[in-house]
Amino acid sequence: MDKRVRVRFAPSPTGPLNIGGLRTALYDYLFARKLGGDFILRIEDTDKNREVAGTENYILDALKWVGIEPDEYPGVGGDKEEKYGPYRQSERKDIYLKYATQMIENGHAYYAFDSGEEIEAMRQREAEKGNSGAKYNHETRDSMRNSLSLGSEEVEKLKAEGKNVVIRLKMPTNDEISFVDIVRKEVSFKTSLLDDKVMIKADGMPTYHLANIVDDHLMEISHVIRGEEWLSSTAHHIYMYTILGWEPPQFAHLSLILKPVGKGKLSKRDSAKFGFPVFPLDWKDPESGELLFEGFKEYGFLPDALLNFLAFLGWNPGTEQEIFSLSELVENFDLNKVVKSGARFDIEKAKWYNQQYLMAKSNEELASMIEDDFKNTDHKSLAIFCGLMKERVENLNEFKSKGYFFFEKPKTFDEKTISKKYNVNNDTHFLNMSEKLQALDEFKTENIQQIIKGYIGDNELSFGAILPIFRISLTGTMKGPDIFATMELLGKEETLVRLNEGLNNFKSLI
Ligand code: GLU
């Protein structure tokens, strides 16, 4: 029987989850779901010095917001938790040492006692000999203080002293470690170029490398899908699996997400530079509460639009279809179609996705999404408003910023157009039209349109001389939804008041 598919997302809580991390989580989720497997969140918090408060909650909140909540994570997982948990590595601290010790007993690992300065001195020494970038490995380990180079008495003494005692993996001198990566296909590393990674640190905590493979094994992870920065570590990981006699999971390393300009890795600084989020949710300073980075959610993105956009950063189904719901993504996702090259973070494409998703929502749904911003407006009017605006906005916040004039008088007026279009001689016409509108029993779009268009026709006026004046007096701008529908939503009284005020103001502007 094939192994059950179990895929984990294993972030370190060293800062908010960025968009690259969220894409990894999404691919983990899609792959697991497609194969009917489990999606697990494991918190890799072995490096307490780098931990940033609030990150773990942020990660979970972000996953929940986009709708890819893991099946197992700290505190959650039902009956599985007993078998596979805990899901925070700091709570598993006692598990790891025995595997490192086992590797020592089998001759595949050793104790080392070097201080940071001693390691630095070794690098200097080697550099002077022309060996720059020297590593702690087969070339240098004999010149260092470790259980391979020192006599057993000395080793016992140093272990008992307990200063700088670490356990290192002893990589073979001249071997080749090959594996088939699902994205990169055949990958191979010469062990002569790899370092003897620390597995247990001086403080007794495991390093990422040891904890990662032990947990993947004990949690019965079948597939490891992660960023390409971990590709070279995979050689170490595969080697550790081999010497422990364990079957390694299958690996898939995802390419980087590149800056909008296409070169270099997307970074958090790009957010400010391009005026666009690179985090799913707002990230605030855990102590002061100051907003450090804006999130897609607060920027007005719909979570399904963000997911669809992210899914396409490095994968495509090979067809023309671009809009995929989460369940369609699950159905169509294929790790074999994930590309090896970096994926450009195309901001315009992200906006396009959001627009598509906004337009596909019903007016009522949109009204519910933005109602907190419009507390004094009833749901029905808000839904009509959403219907008028939804093709004109790229995100939820723009309903307010672009359509605020439905709820309050315009704050600014397009003076350039006024000076071109306003003609004092037309005031009597506006007055006549106002009277006709005033007399309307049913202030509805079609009736309003009939009156205004009819009047323009009957009096041989031009639309270009009349409609812009209506529009600007009511909304302040030339950009906006259908002007007759706008009037209906504003209501008769407000429409006529604004028109009248507009005409009075425009005189002074020209
Ligand atoms: N803790 C690692 C990270 O934060 C996980 C890498 C992996 O998935 O193995 O990127």
Side-chain angles (χ1 to χ4, degrees), residues 43-105:
I43 301 294
E44 300 209 322
D45 58 347
T46 53
D47 191 347
K48 287 291 169 193
N49 296 329
R50 291 184 56 224
E51 194 160 325
V52 175
T55 318
E56 187 183 315
N57 284 341
Y58 181 96
I59 294 168
L60 254 179
D61 290 346
L63 297 181
K64 286 183 186 169
W65 176 59
V66 295
I68 57 169
E69 184 170 343
D71 306 307
E72 298 163 42
Y73 59 87
V76 169
D79 51 352
K80 299 226 167 129
E81 190 168 4
E82 211 166 300
K83 180 167 179 199
Y84 298 119
Y87 298 101
R88 256 184 228 113
Q89 287 184 328
S90 58
E91 292 165 20
R92 304 170 63 80
K93 189 177 168 230
D94 300 336
I95 297 178
Y96 308 106
L97 183 63
K98 81 165 184 233
Y99 297 103
T101 316
Q102 188 181 324
M103 288 190 236
I104 295 182
E105 280 159 12

Side-chain angles (χ1 to χ4, degrees), residues 404-405 408-413 472-477 498:
Y404 80 97
F405 53 77
E408 55 181 294
K409 291 199 171 125
K411 293 187 185 110
T412 54
F413 293 91
I472 297 177
S473 58
L474 301 180
T475 71
T477 160
R498 287 193 194 181

Side-chain angles (χ1 to χ4, degrees), residues 8-14 21 24 28 42-46 50 89 208 212-213 216 224-227 229-230 233-234 237 251 253:
R8 90 304 191 269
F9 177 51
S12 301
T14 51
T24 302
D28 285 331
R42 182 173 73 225
I43 301 294
E44 300 209 322
D45 58 347
T46 53
R50 291 184 56 224
Q89 287 184 328
Y208 154 73
N212 189 270
I213 65 121
D216 281 346
V224 168
I225 305 169
R226 63 184 172 197
E229 65 270 31
W230 301 107
S233 304
T234 308
H237 298 175
F251 291 94
H253 286 89

Side-chain angles (χ1 to χ4, degrees), residues 60-350:
L60 254 179
D61 290 346
L63 297 181
K64 286 183 186 169
W65 176 59
V66 295
I68 57 169
E69 184 170 343
D71 306 307
E72 298 163 42
Y73 59 87
V76 169
D79 51 352
K80 299 226 167 129
E81 190 168 4
E82 211 166 300
K83 180 167 179 199
Y84 298 119
Y87 298 101
R88 256 184 228 113
Q89 287 184 328
S90 58
E91 292 165 20
R92 304 170 63 80
K93 189 177 168 230
D94 300 336
I95 297 178
Y96 308 106
L97 183 63
K98 81 165 184 233
Y99 297 103
T101 316
Q102 188 181 324
M103 288 190 236
I104 295 182
E105 280 159 12
N106 296 338
H108 297 299
Y110 58 93
Y111 291 103
F113 310 101
D114 319 86
S115 66
E117 294 80 51
E118 283 166 331
I119 294 174
E120 192 41 46
M122 172 273 281
R123 290 208 180 100
Q124 297 259 347
R125 247 182 356 253
E126 290 295 315
E128 278 158 27
K129 285 195 267 170
N131 179 15
S132 63
K135 300 183 170 89
Y136 202 120
N137 67 359
H138 64 99
E139 285 183 326
T140 55
R141 65 170 86 100
D142 288 345
S143 68
M144 304 302 287
R145 296 196 307 134
N146 54 53
S147 58
L148 301 175
S149 64
L150 304 172
S152 54
E153 228 170 89
E154 176 80 357
V155 168
E156 288 315 313
K157 195 180 119 226
L158 290 169
K159 270 169 65 184
E161 273 172 20
K163 224 171 121 200
N164 299 324
V165 187
V166 304
I167 299 180
R168 285 184 181 268
L169 179 64
K170 185 181 171 207
M171 289 303 283
T173 307
N174 256 323
D175 219 338
E176 189 138 323
I177 295 174
S178 304
F179 57 97
V180 179
D181 184 276
I182 301 173
V183 174
R184 273 142 222 281
K185 313 301 171 211
E186 179 86 25
V187 186
S188 156
F189 288 92
K190 285 191 168 41
T191 56
S192 59
L193 302 175
L194 301 175
D195 61 338
D196 290 353
K197 288 249 179 279
V198 172
M199 294 188 290
I200 298 281
K201 294 183 279 187
D203 63 2
M205 285 294 262
T207 56
Y208 154 73
H209 302 287
L210 179 65
N212 189 270
I213 65 121
V214 168
D215 287 348
D216 281 346
H217 174 72
L218 296 179
M219 295 182 183
E220 296 185 9
I221 298 302
S222 61
H223 294 80
V224 168
I225 305 169
R226 63 184 172 197
E228 72 174 6
E229 65 270 31
W230 301 107
L231 187 66
S232 73
S233 304
T234 308
H236 289 99
H237 298 175
I238 300 253
Y239 182 63
M240 289 194 247
Y241 281 106
T242 315
I243 58 184
L244 286 168
W246 296 342
E247 188 193 336
Q250 288 193 54
F251 291 94
H253 286 89
L254 308 175
S255 61
L256 291 177
I257 296 185
L258 306 175
K259 292 180 189 300
V261 286
K263 264 199 197 146
K265 186 179 168 198
L266 183 73
S267 84
K268 53 188 177 201
R269 280 174 297 279
D270 292 321
S271 177
K273 190 159 160 204
F274 296 98
F276 208 71
V278 296
F279 290 97
L281 309 175
D282 271 1
W283 173 250
K284 299 192 178 121
D285 185 296
E287 267 159 37
S288 68
E290 181 200 348
L291 178 65
L292 299 178
F293 295 106
E294 187 180 29
F296 273 95
K297 178 180 182 214
E298 293 77 8
Y299 188 83
F301 257 67
L302 300 180
D304 17 0
L306 180 61
L307 278 189
N308 198 154
F309 165 68
L310 283 183
F312 271 70
L313 277 184
W315 166 83
N316 74 74
T319 63
E320 294 290 298
Q321 189 182 342
E322 291 189 281
I323 303 292
F324 284 80
S325 66
L326 185 54
S327 56
E328 287 173 318
L329 285 173
V330 167
E331 210 173 294
N332 287 278
F333 186 72
D334 181 353
L335 260 187
N336 290 305
K337 289 199 179 131
V338 168
V339 297
K340 258 201 288 191
S341 52
R344 188 170 76 87
F345 183 81
D346 182 351
I347 289 166
E348 294 312 315
K349 195 74 196 190

